[in-house]
Amino acid sequence: MSNPSPAPLEVLRNTFGYDSFRGRQEDIISHLLNGEDCLVIMPTGGGKSLCYQLPALLRPGVAVVVSPLIALMQDQVMAMQQLGVRAACLNSSLSAQQQHTVIQQVDHKRLDLLYVAPERLLQQDTLAWLQGTEVSLFAIDEAHCVSAWGHDFRQDYLQLNQLAELFAAVPRIALTATADPRTQTDIIHRLALRNAQTFTHGFDRPNICYTVQPKSDPRGQLLNFLAAHKDEAGIVYCLSRKSVDSTAAWLYQQGFNALPYHAGLDNEVRQLHQSRFLREDAVVMVATIAFGMGIDKPDVRFVVHMDLPKNIESYYQETGRAGRDGQPADAWMVYGLQDVVRLNRMADESTATEEHKRIERSKLEALLGWCEVTTCRRHALLRYFGDNVDGQCGNCDTCLQPPHTWDATEAARKALSCVYRTGQRFGAGHVIDVLRGQQSERIQRFKHDQLSTYGIGSSHSERQWRSIFRQLVVRGYLKVDHGRFGALVITPDSRGLLRGESTLQLREDADKSRTRKRASTYELQLEDEDLMQALRNLRSRLAEAAGVPPYVVFHDATLLGMVETRPTSLNQMLDISGIGQAKLDKYGEPFLQIISEHALVQPGGSADAAPG
Ligand code: ADP
Ligand code: ZN
């Protein structure tokens, strides 16, 4: 026999340019190398792809990766090729000639990784062809699509169980970012994985800082938040197409490189905006939830929700698009009573079955409850997904600035009585006017200035009352009656409060919208900032020449590594995380060049070498 094949760690270092494995990557890889099946559940950015990409280089034959998203496939193929890995994809976006070339590459054993869409793989001729070649492993990405319990069921995924019989000797790895225990069992069963070991990694995204603020002046609050994110890429989610358009236009006026994205825009416009988001630095994508699926950009620094998402699952998935590269990122959301009213109405009006509506409502309640938590927000999120955690994470709003609570018994009683006295026919705005003793046409028309509750709440501001009403709805003391145009109605739960039998603690909304000052993701010295910018510019030029997004050339973290260590030789560059042999050969020289130019401009150290 010739040389024994290299060890996984060697490949990790030489080809991928990383020092060590993350989490359970090493276990998963050795499992596959032993020819066994497994299911991997790892949050976004956890490093799932490496779990099959690396064994693909060590096992003989071609690894077949099943992925439903063509855009994502092309991204991965590009990224692999940059590492010097022989990868290609087979899908309908290729010409017949191109497909022929790929097939030949496989036939001549000149390919390590082949990405295919499920419908293509499942064609009889594709399966027959692959049976005649050597397949090293099957990787089934987005494996939750096979389960009706998952959130994105796809019919053709069901047919993937054929692989178990047709390729009995080939190990299969199924991967997903979100699957609760029930979905996990279902995936194993439906894909007919054999003796599959499940590798879970927990749901935590420690680098994402979660913040939820009451919505008072949403645009002002957003601007305040974005002030700490100049020159960074991010996504701002809005509920409606209209608010996407107006928010994008407004942010653009405020000097941000903001672009709109929603299903109402022409296909070309959407494509253009998406590719600008991927290829340019610091684009803010203002979007409906139509945007995001299959976006693999690692350096999204923030995800903003200007309106509440549907439930905690959606929130987790949408915010999960931030910080895939493991660098600090923000998930920031504003919400107010209007969101609560609107989501309740949507649940009521939905055409789903009663059973389904009940589930939706309870998911909405869980989300609202989570918005109002006073303990660690991250841990509350993780517990929702079944992770067993408590204590404080130190990287969420409630840990960084613990919210105050106050005894709101008296105020709540006033609020509830006023709802009652006005006949349970009005929304919060009018009831607050009555409480605060305001004058309005409506108040006069209904003679509400003659009620005993008129003006009894003048010691609280309108904002404070909004906060009180919001929390009363979230906690079930009031409910919104959509049959009556959103009137507030008292629920049986509030009897105890009204009779003075129970008390109520509410969360105090912060007076001003406080933004945590994370000046920027990387705290760089001024001269380092210059070099970083120069490296970024070079990266953009090289990326453009190669026709790939900048992060495919190098991640920010890798550029940062160059700034920190200022290598003076190619050999030193190899020590930086994210630089393997292929990338060194391709890009090492020009980056070294820039770094040495900066050393000339900034003679380091000599001036301030005075002993301390
Ligand atoms: P997922 O598919 O789980 O969302 P990816 O496979 O895209 O995550 O990996 C996220 C990022 O982490 C990628 O940029 C990848 O190159 C990087 N990465 C993966 N494994 C390691 C590792 N062992 N060390 C450093 N970076 C890693
Ligand atoms: Zn916390």
Side-chain angles (χ1 to χ4, degrees), residues 12 16-23 25 42-53 72 76 80 83 141-142 175-177 205 296 298 320 324-326 551 555 577-578:
L12 182 75
F16 292 87
Y18 297 131
D19 271 351
S20 54
F21 288 107
R22 269 196 202 157
Q25 281 177 336
M42 222 188 254
T44 309
K48 283 188 287 298
S49 343
L50 193 96
C51 297
Y52 56 81
Q53 288 163 348
L72 209 71
Q76 294 232 1
M80 284 296 102
L83 296 177
D141 211 357
E142 313 286 344
L175 310 102
T176 174
R205 301 288 313 279
D296 215 358
R324 275 169 172 266
D325 56 7
Y551 56 80
H555 279 186
S577 178

Side-chain angles (χ1 to χ4, degrees), residues 115-131:
Y115 289 81
V116 286
E119 63 274 14
R120 175 59 180 261
L121 173 65
L122 294 164
Q123 284 171 14
Q124 280 315 316
D125 49 348
T126 311
L127 287 172
W129 165 61
L130 282 175
Q131 280 186 287

Side-chain angles (χ1 to χ4, degrees), residues 376-379 392-396 398-399:
C376 173
R377 190 177 294 288
R378 175 189 315 281
H379 287 169
Q392 301 212 314
C393 77
N395 189 30
C396 70
T398 49
C399 279

Side-chain angles (χ1 to χ4, degrees), residues 1-13:
M1 290 219 66
S2 54
N3 295 334
S5 57
L9 189 60
E10 224 171 290
V11 180
L12 182 75
R13 291 187 173 153

Side-chain angles (χ1 to χ4, degrees), residues 228 232 301 327-328 516-530 532 536 560 563-564:
E232 295 180 353
R301 293 270 68 84
Q327 302 290 318
R516 192 174 46 98
K517 282 283 172 271
R518 171 161 74 69
S520 79
T521 306
Y522 320 111
E523 309 271 346
L524 288 180
Q525 306 285 341
L526 211 54
E527 67 266 23
D528 287 347
E529 195 66 73
D530 280 352
M532 186 72 184
R536 276 210 181 105
L560 207 64
V563 172
E564 274 165 6

